């Protein structure tokens, strides 16, 4: 049987689907675990990966991980006109009620 060649884009797509499912299921810890697993597998999270992770943290009220993901996303130079406001807004919502959030 021939070994199948896996396209990294397809693998990233699968991880993104899993992270999005975790977001919808309000499983922020699992979303973060999948992001970590991506990095361990030498896959680069993309805007979708980070956005879904930030949203999962938002739904879980986890502002610190949401801000950390936003910072990572910006550090990876993945911010785009459409992603940055979305990520920032989600991070701000995740941090609502926290006195540590500063604009």
């Amino acid at each position: 049987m021939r070994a199948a060649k896996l396209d990294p884009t397809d693998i990233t797509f699968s991880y993104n689907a899993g992270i999005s499912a975790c977001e919808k299921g309000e499983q922020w810890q699992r979303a973060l675990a999948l992001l970590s697993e991506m990095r361990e597998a030498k896959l680069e999270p993309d805007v979708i990966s980070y956005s879904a992770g930030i949203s999962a943290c938002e739904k879980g009220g986890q502002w610190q991980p949401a801000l950390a993901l936003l910072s990572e996303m910006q550090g990876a130079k993945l911010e785009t006109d459409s992603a940055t406001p979305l990520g920032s807004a989600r991070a701000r919502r995740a941090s609502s009620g926290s006195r540590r959030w500063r604009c």
Side-chain angles (χ1 to χ4, degrees), residues 2-49:
R2 278 190 306 176
K5 291 184 181 181
L6 298 175
D7 181 0
T9 304
D10 291 338
I11 298 169
T12 298
F13 178 81
S14 297
Y15 272 103
N16 288 349
I19 296 165
S20 293
C22 292
E23 177 247 326
K24 288 174 181 60
E26 298 182 22
Q27 297 291 317
W28 65 270
Q29 298 100 329
R30 288 185 182 174
L32 294 179
L34 285 173
L35 278 164
S36 179
E37 190 177 304
M38 281 183 79
R39 290 183 204 99
E40 289 173 17
K42 306 291 186 224
L43 295 169
E44 294 294 324
D46 59 16
V47 172
I48 295 167
S49 311

Side-chain angles (χ1 to χ4, degrees), residues 1 9 21 30 34 41 44 47 54-55 58 71 83 85 95 100-101:
M1 183 184 236
T9 304
R30 288 185 182 174
L34 285 173
E44 294 294 324
V47 172
I54 290 168
S55 185
E58 171 203 351
S71 179
S95 68
R100 295 185 183 201
W101 178 260

Side-chain angles (χ1 to χ4, degrees), residues 63-83:
W63 63 272
Q64 289 175 319
L67 291 175
L69 289 176
L70 180 62
S71 179
E72 280 181 38
M73 186 171 115
Q74 291 170 337
K77 300 191 187 323
L78 290 176
E79 59 183 324
T80 64
D81 291 340
S82 61

